[in-house]
Structure formats: structure tokens, C-alpha cells
Amino acid sequence: MIKLLLASLLLPLLALAVPAPGPDGTYTLSAPGITAKFIPYSAAITSLVVSDRNGTKRDIILGYDNGTFYPVDPNHPDYGAVPGRYTNRIANHTYELDGNRYFTEANDGNGTLHSGLNGWSRRTWNVSEVTNSSITFTIRDEGNSSMGFPGLVLGKVTHTITANTWTTKLSAKAVDHKTPIMLTTHPYWNLDAFANPATDLVLNHTLSLPFGERMIGIDGTTQSTGELPKVKKGGVNDFVSKPKQLGASMSDPDWVGNCGSAFGCSGYNNQWIVDRGGPDMEKAIATLSSDWSGIKWDLYSDQAGVVVYSCYWMGGANELKKSQGGRASSGFVKSNGCVAVEPQDWIDGINHPEWGRTDKQIFGPDTKPYESWISYKFSTF
Ligand SMILES: *[C@@H]1O[C@H](CO)[C@@H](O)[C@H](O)[C@H]1NC(C)=O
Ligand SMILES: *[C@@H]1O[C@H](CO)[C@@H](O)[C@H](O)[C@H]1NC(C)=O
Ligand SMILES: *[C@@H]1O[C@H](CO)[C@@H](O)[C@H](O)[C@H]1NC(C)=O
Ligand SMILES: *[C@@H]1O[C@H](CO)[C@@H](O)[C@H](O)[C@H]1NC(C)=O
Ligand SMILES: *[C@@H]1O[C@H](CO)[C@@H](O)[C@H](O)[C@H]1NC(C)=O
Ligand SMILES: *[C@@H]1O[C@H](CO)[C@@H](O)[C@H](O)[C@H]1NC(C)=O
Ligand SMILES: *[C@@H]1O[C@H](CO)[C@@H](O)[C@H](O)[C@H]1NC(C)=O
Ligand SMILES: *[C@@H]1O[C@H](CO)[C@@H](O)[C@H](O)[C@H]1NC(C)=O
């Protein structure tokens, strides 16, 4: 009786000892220098607050104040999401596996993007564990619940917040059938929190891709061609010779159509291969900074590629959070107003066995599970 009474008194106290979700289902995790919010929908990060060089707190990730808006957002830019089970594009919405041809959903021209309209970034995940520094989301993805992806996959994502750092561990097990698996995180950044009075765009953010010597070749509709072109020195896509502002090559004739000439995409929606080995595995694969806020992140990951999308398609329809905006801002995200960065294996590797990426992209009951990690370290300068 006493024990029961104690238990009933203690349980709510214990439950209170770790972060509980807010009324809109948002979980908040904090550590020195950083506060982040997460929601079960798409296992997403919805807010990331760090101090700028003056000590002013800035929310530098795109999202919505209202966690319940994500599933009903008609624009659905995969804000902060974990797309899956196979992120990014599948050319001509088809691939072959063990002699069988599978047809996935064509939701991006003739291609598939983020596994179609019932991918992991469009589902509400389960919250399986919350601690003071981490949250773990899981997903049970039955075979064919996204068109053309056979077999049950059990996915798991843990976001951890430690001093000035956001780290994500992603894993997935194919239980009863061979299937493509490729995951990433999909945050969009504006390191000025749209508060820079001179511009609400990211064209003055500086990007460095220290291992980005080669790219995944794309056709006019942004689908992988199988080519692996070398980055032209001094050209639009050169972030390897030295750090460069995202808008620095706007007057280069190659800027227009660089991310898909048929759709008219200007700027960046491309993947750079991360060519490295040995001690370089410990180094950052990308660095982004803004001279105005003085905020910088270094991105670490075990992945062999990094996608950079400079938000050409942001049409001005997505409202900013209350914590964002300033004199130059309309209150909505504009074209070139953000940059998404996504470490992941080579896009559409399942259609290019000649690349030798199969063991990184095809998993089954007899293989190791899919595993990857992504870590952002924030600082000021
Ligand atoms: C989590 O943090 C709260 C507030 O700082 C503290 O009271 C609690 O003991 C912590 N819980 C755990 C499990 O560390
Ligand atoms: C949050 O979004 C939902 C869905 O759009 C809406 O019904 C609700 O009124 C919103 N709540 C607030 C506080 O804005
Ligand atoms: C898509 O299919 C068409 C017709 O077979 C082919 O010509 C084209 O090269 C394919 N595109 C890609 C990117 O594989
Ligand atoms: C679209 O992809 C299908 C294969 O899934 C192919 O047969 C067709 O030719 C492609 N269409 C174009 C315009 O490339
Ligand atoms: C969440 O867990 C329940 C109970 O195990 C399960 O039925 C459901 O499919 C899970 N949802 C997801 C998105 O994995
Ligand atoms: C999934 O779809 C394939 C055809 O693409 C079919 O052969 C298979 O039986 C389906 N599996 C389930 C579990 O529905
Ligand atoms: C952006 O950088 C360019 C030089 O690269 C400079 O001319 C311009 O004034 C800057 N704009 C803002 C708003 O800082
Ligand atoms: C930092 O403070 C200086 C001096 O007050 C000011 O000019 C500058 O705009 C501030 N920077 C930011 C990002 O708020």
C-alpha cells in the first residue's frame, strides 16, 4: 500500500525529470550555448537557438512556431525533417534489385524525391526515449507503404544536444527483404535569423566544402546522369579552392540552370562528393558562416557526399517564426532566403552499380543495418 502510494507519487516526479512535450507536441533540449526543439512529425528539428557574436540569441533554423502545422503545411519543404526510406532522387522513378524492376512514385517530374508523398518526412514517428540531452524517434515502415519499396524497415533517429553541438545518429534495419535505404537530416539555415537589416537572403553566407572536388552529374530535370564531373576551378560550383559566398557566382553564365536547366533552377541544388580518407575522416566536410551575425557551423559526418540547396524554389509562401525576421524581411521566406545542407551517400547510387555504392545503399535481413551520423558544431567569429 505504502509502496503503491510512493510509486504513484514518484512516477509523475520522475516523468517530470526529463523534458515533456509542449502543448503542440514540441520537445525542447538545452545545453550550454544551444537550445533546440524537435517534433515527432518527420523526426524534425523545428528551432535551433545559439548566440551571435554580440551574445544576442538567434533562431537560425527554418520551421514553424506551431508544431501542429507541419503535417498540414501545403508547401511541405521537409523543414528539418528526416526523409526516407531512400532520401533524395531516383531517376525515372525506377530501379532494379536482384533482377526485379521496381517503380517508385513519380513526384518530382519523372523522378522520385524523398521516396514519394508517403515518405518518412510525411509521417508522425514514435517517441521511444527522451533524456535531458536527447530524443529518440522510431518508425515502422511496412513494405510498399511507399510505392516500390519492398519489405519492413525499422528506422531509428536520435538527436542529441550537447554544448554548442547538435548530433544526429540515424539507423535502419531491413527486416525481411532487400531494399534501398538512405537517410539524412534536412535542416534549412539562415544564420542571420532573417534579422540582418541589409538582407534576408543567404547570398552573403560563406560556404566551404574542403573535399568537394567532384559532383554528382545531373540532367536538366535534376536527375543523376551517372557522370561524376570535376568541379571547375573558379567556377560556380567551386567551394573547394577557398571558402566562397553563396551568391558570389551569380553573374557567372553557369549560375542559371546550375541546379536543373529544364526547370530553370538557378544557384545550388547539387551534390558534392566528399573525397577523403585517413585522418581527414575526422575533419569537417562543410563550414557555413555569416559575416553579419558572426555565427558559424562546422559540419561533421561519416557520409561520402553533401547536398547543398540554396532555396531557389522558396516562393515567399512560408511564414517565418516569431523569433525571426527584421527590417529587410517580409515575414516570409524568399527565393535564396535559406540554404539546406544534407550529408548523404551518392544520389541515386541504386541506379549506378558502377559507382560501387551498393553496400552503402542496399540493405536486407542478411546485411548490417544502415547507420550514419551527422554533427553540427556552432561557434562565433
Ligand atoms: C534533467 O534536468 C532537470 C532540470 O535541470 C533535472 O532536475 C533532472 O534531474 C534531470 N534529469 C535527468 C534524468 O538527468
Ligand atoms: C496551429 O496549427 C493548427 C493547424 O494549422 C491550427 O489548427 C491551430 O490553430 C494552430 N495553433 C496556433 C496557436 O497557431
Ligand atoms: C529516363 O528514361 C528515358 C527513356 O528511357 C531515358 O532516355 C533517360 O536517359 C532516362 N533518364 C535518366 C536520368 O536516367
Ligand atoms: C519516365 O520513366 C519511365 C520509366 O520509369 C520511362 O519509361 C519514361 O520514358 C520516362 N519518361 C521520360 C520523359 O524520360
Ligand atoms: C508506433 O508504435 C505503434 C505501436 O507499436 C505502431 O503500431 C505504429 O506503427 C508505430 N508508428 C510508427 C510511425 O512507427
Ligand atoms: C509489394 O509490391 C510488390 C509489387 O511491386 C508485390 O509483388 C508485393 O507482393 C507487395 N508486398 C506487399 C507486402 O504488399
Ligand atoms: C554581400 O557581399 C557582396 C560582396 O560579395 C557585397 O558587395 C554586398 O554589399 C554584400 N551585401 C550585404 C547585404 O551584406
Ligand atoms: C553587434 O553590435 C554592434 C554594435 O552595437 C552592432 O553594430 C551590430 O549590428 C550588432 N550585430 C548584430 C548581429 O546584432
Side-chain angles (χ1 to χ4, degrees):
M1 188 62 199
I2 299 272
K3 262 191 188 158
L4 265 178
L5 198 67
L6 266 178
S8 66
L9 279 172
L10 275 173
L11 272 176
L13 280 177
L14 282 174
L16 277 178
V18 295
D24 66 347
T26 302
Y27 291 79
T28 304
L29 301 179
S30 294
I34 181 169
T35 296
K37 292 179 188 284
F38 301 90
I39 52 168
Y41 183 75
S42 69
I45 187 166
T46 67
S47 160
L48 192 145
V49 176
V50 293
S51 293
D52 71 10
R53 68 158 69 90
N54 288 353
T56 306
K57 293 207 181 337
R58 306 276 180 198
D59 184 354
I60 57 175
I61 236 168
L62 276 69
Y64 300 112
D65 285 315
N66 185 344
T68 61
F69 184 62
Y70 286 74
V72 297
D73 171 17
N75 301 310
H76 206 286
D78 294 299
Y79 269 172
V82 175
R85 68 172 72 172
Y86 190 79
T87 193
N88 220 300
R89 291 179 167 79
I90 299 173
N92 280 346
H93 69 277
T94 182
Y95 65 94
E96 198 185 294
L97 180 57
D98 286 346
N100 295 313
R101 182 148 291 278
Y102 292 88
F103 291 93
T104 50
E105 186 183 347
N107 67 324
D108 186 64
N110 202 37
T112 301
L113 179 60
H114 299 325
S115 305
L117 296 180
N118 190 35
W120 291 10
S121 56
R122 296 184 179 257
R123 301 202 207 159
T124 301
W125 298 46
N126 283 323
V127 178
S128 74
E129 196 186 357
V130 186
T131 73
N132 270 359
S133 61
S134 73
I135 184 159
T136 299
F137 298 108
T138 54
I139 188 168
R140 186 182 166 86
D141 184 26
E142 301 287 349
N144 291 352
S145 47
S146 292
M147 190 179 157
F149 291 102
L152 171 66
V153 171
L154 300 176
K156 179 170 157 180
V157 166
T158 300
H159 296 289
T160 304
I161 295 295
T162 51
N164 304 310
T165 306
W166 166 36
T167 301
T168 307
K169 286 203 161 117
L170 307 120
S171 66
K173 177 70 191 163
V175 176
D176 51 20
H177 203 287
K178 264 175 140 178
T179 183
I181 300 178
M182 189 156 86
L183 304 175
T184 188
T185 50
H186 203 293
Y188 289 84
W189 304 95
N190 182 306
L191 298 182
D192 297 339
F194 300 93
N196 182 344
T199 178
D200 61 347
L201 308 181
V202 295
L203 295 168
N204 281 72
H205 284 31
T206 302
L207 177 68
S208 162
L209 300 173
F211 305 104
E213 302 271 3
R214 292 189 296 161
M215 301 180 75
I216 299 295
I218 54 169
D219 67 11
T221 64
T222 335
Q223 308 194 79
S224 303
T225 57
E227 293 157 319
L228 302 171
K230 278 206 77 151
V231 164
K232 193 169 114 195
K233 203 165 165 51
V236 169
N237 294 318
D238 185 5
F239 294 94
V240 67
S241 303
K242 54 181 190 306
K244 186 172 78 171
Q245 291 199 343
L246 283 168
S249 299
M250 281 184 93
S251 56
D252 189 313
D254 292 339
W255 172 265
V256 176
N258 188 53
C259 42
S261 54
F263 300 152
C265 179
S266 296
Y268 304 105
N269 192 4
N270 307 78
Q271 187 173 32
W272 283 258
I273 292 171
V274 178
D275 278 316
R276 60 173 176 169
D280 286 345
M281 295 306 289
E282 310 296 318
K283 294 186 183 157
I285 62 170
T287 296
L288 185 75
S289 63
S290 166
D291 289 343
W292 181 73
S293 65
I295 294 172
K296 173 178 113 166
W297 58 238
D298 293 294
L299 169 59
Y300 299 82
S301 175
D302 59 351
Q303 292 301 285
V306 60
V307 173
V308 176
Y309 167 48
S310 56
C311 292
Y312 178 78
W313 299 113
M314 286 290 176
N318 299 350
E319 202 170 354
L320 298 181
K321 289 179 271 186
K322 287 188 209 78
S323 53
Q324 299 177 326
R327 199 149 25 98
S329 168
S330 61
F332 292 84
V333 185
K334 295 177 196 149
S335 187
N336 300 318
C338 50
V339 57
V341 180
E342 311 149 48
Q344 60 194 247
D345 208 66
W346 299 12
I347 296 173
D348 203 22
I350 52 174
N351 275 316
H352 296 285
E354 73 277 13
W355 289 349
R357 309 308 300 176
T358 311
D359 65 331
K360 309 274 189 217
Q361 302 197 7
I362 301 288
F363 297 86
D366 302 327
T367 70
K368 284 185 296 182
Y370 170 93
E371 277 178 348
S372 67
W373 61 269
I374 295 167
S375 189
Y376 288 90
K377 291 194 193 308
F378 301 90
S379 58
T380 52
F381 63 100

